[in-house]
Amino acid sequence: MEHASCPAPELLATAYAAWPDAAELTRIQEGFDAAAARPVTLRANTLKATADEVAAALTKAGIAYERVPWYSDAFVLDSAVRERAVWDLPIYQDGAIYLQSLSSMLPPLALAPRTGADVLDMCAAPGGKTSQMAALARGTAHLTACEMSAPRAEKLSYNLNKLGARNVNVMRVDARRLDEFFSFDQILLDAPCTGTGTYRAGDERAPKRMTQQLLAKTTRSQRALLDRALTVLKPGGTLVYSTCSILPQENDEQVVAALAKHRDCKLVPLTPEAAHPTDEEAQPLPPTAAALVDAVDRGDIPTLAGSLAGTLTVCPTKLFEGFFLACMTKTK
């Protein structure tokens, strides 16, 4: 399945050799092949326009699309459409849409930012997920967006302004060193990672980028970020940890290690049982998180088995990047 002229990056080759399920490995490899023809996807920015208004604008521009059944604000464009065709549209220039992969839309849906909540986006640039959270909370959440790089922080501020996300405090800070004076009701940690889930067969640059050295660097950063996230999370608060990787070292293993250190925290399972509990005293998942879980249960969002029950590992396909999601809460 590998392109002879462009072998898989060493990280993936190593993962392939150790993958426990041959059928799943075939799905992953076929997904990376199909990803070479992945269509453009975008999100209606409901801070500025409704999804129906975006649909009408796309139709007027002659751009064919499909609506995403599990997220009414998401669109998949016809495979012949390229991003450049979208850049000239008024809805793009005015910030009424945001080009975003379907997989990267999942973490804000899982977190489900609440009205009036203090919400932290730990690794916020370029701002897609931050603005999505602002839209999900209808602009009423108190958002803090961290970015340590000055150029990326400027880009973040520019995008948030363009998208109409006003109630956001952009902090130029390394989130690993965020002062413990701060505390938050909800935290999104979309951590820096190797990006193995975004691999597309035939990508000649990937082997130079996805290396064991990068994995060592990202796992150290992820460990420190998760530790600080769970430290500044308020009791009763929720944290969503995500990566665009399929490697267990960046995913399940990081969550297990973090929960072993933070005994006052536990996993919130992203399962149908948690979304629709039969126990009347149990707190169900928020509506957007429950809809996500239901989409997984129906097979609308393809997933891999994973080693940690209650987490989600999205299988790479033509439509989806490989992605990981885990939700945690602080119990006291």
Side-chain angles (χ1 to χ4, degrees):
M1 294 180 189
E2 295 175 9
H3 291 225
S5 62
C6 183
E10 62 173 287
L11 281 182
L12 286 175
T14 302
Y16 292 166
W19 208 266
D21 187 292
E24 283 205 336
L25 177 57
T26 297
R27 288 177 61 210
I28 292 168
Q29 293 174 315
E30 288 177 346
F32 286 142
D33 279 348
R38 184 171 290 142
V40 174
T41 56
L42 57 85
R43 173 178 55 82
N45 173 28
T46 56
L47 294 170
K48 288 201 167 185
T50 67
D52 287 343
E53 288 170 339
V54 168
L58 291 173
T59 299
K60 182 179 179 181
I63 294 178
Y65 62 84
E66 291 184 4
R67 301 287 288 269
V68 175
W70 46 267
Y71 187 23
S72 61
D73 294 339
F75 294 76
V76 178
L77 303 189
D78 183 87
S79 58
V81 178
R82 295 292 176 260
E83 286 191 1
R84 185 172 298 277
V86 179
W87 296 343
D88 293 332
L89 298 179
I91 52 172
Y92 176 82
Q93 296 172 354
D94 296 341
I97 59 173
Y98 188 82
L99 295 171
Q100 188 172 357
S101 75
L102 294 182
S103 293
S104 72
M105 298 179 195
L106 301 178
L109 294 174
L111 186 65
R114 301 190 305 270
T115 297
D118 292 317
V119 182
L120 171 66
D121 190 346
M122 292 189 77
C123 303
K129 296 181 185 67
T130 312
S131 63
Q132 185 183 355
M133 290 193 291
L136 288 169
R138 291 176 166 76
T140 62
H142 307 293
L143 282 157
T144 298
C146 294
E147 176 52 53
M148 62 184 292
S149 161
R152 285 172 60 82
E154 290 179 8
K155 181 66 172 178
L156 170 63
S157 296
Y158 170 82
N159 281 337
L160 293 176
N161 183 63
K162 176 182 177 180
L163 296 167
R166 307 294 181 215
N167 197 18
V168 183
N169 175 34
V170 175
M171 293 180 62
R172 188 188 157 197
V173 63
D174 183 343
R176 293 172 294 185
R177 297 175 176 82
L178 191 65
D179 197 306
E180 293 182 25
F181 165 81
F182 295 102
S183 61
F184 299 91
D185 300 301
Q186 297 178 286
I187 299 175
L188 176 61
L189 172 51
D190 186 50
C193 69
T194 56
T196 51
T198 67
Y199 175 67
R200 302 184 186 204
D203 183 352
E204 297 179 352
R205 294 174 296 179
K208 295 181 180 179
R209 186 174 72 252
M210 297 176 184
T211 63
Q212 293 292 345
Q213 290 77 13
L214 177 60
L215 178 62
K217 178 181 178 180
T218 58
T219 51
R220 285 194 302 270
S221 178
Q222 291 157 1
R223 189 160 47 247
L225 284 163
L226 255 176
D227 179 51
R228 188 49 52 105
L230 292 173
T231 299
V232 300
L233 185 65
K234 292 181 182 178
T238 54
L239 160 72
V240 167
Y241 172 74
S242 62
T243 73
C244 53
S245 174
I246 61 168
L247 301 182
Q249 300 98 312
E250 300 184 274
N251 298 338
D252 296 352
E253 293 177 15
Q254 291 287 4
V255 174
V256 169
L259 293 177
K261 181 174 181 179
H262 293 265
R263 298 289 184 174
D264 57 347
C265 299
K266 66 178 183 179
L267 195 70
V268 177
L270 296 171
T271 61
E273 294 75 17
H276 309 287
T278 55
D279 183 350
E280 293 182 358
E281 296 184 0
Q283 185 70 30
L285 295 176
T288 58
L292 186 161
V293 170
D294 290 343
V296 171
D297 195 42
R298 292 192 305 268
D300 292 343
I301 300 174
T303 56
L304 302 168
S307 61
L308 183 58
T311 63
L312 296 178
T313 304
V314 178
C315 181
T317 66
K318 182 178 178 179
L319 284 181
F320 290 88
E321 295 174 339
F323 226 83
F324 175 80
L325 294 125
C327 184
M328 290 162 267
T329 186
K330 181 174 285 188
T331 58
K332 60 181 181 180

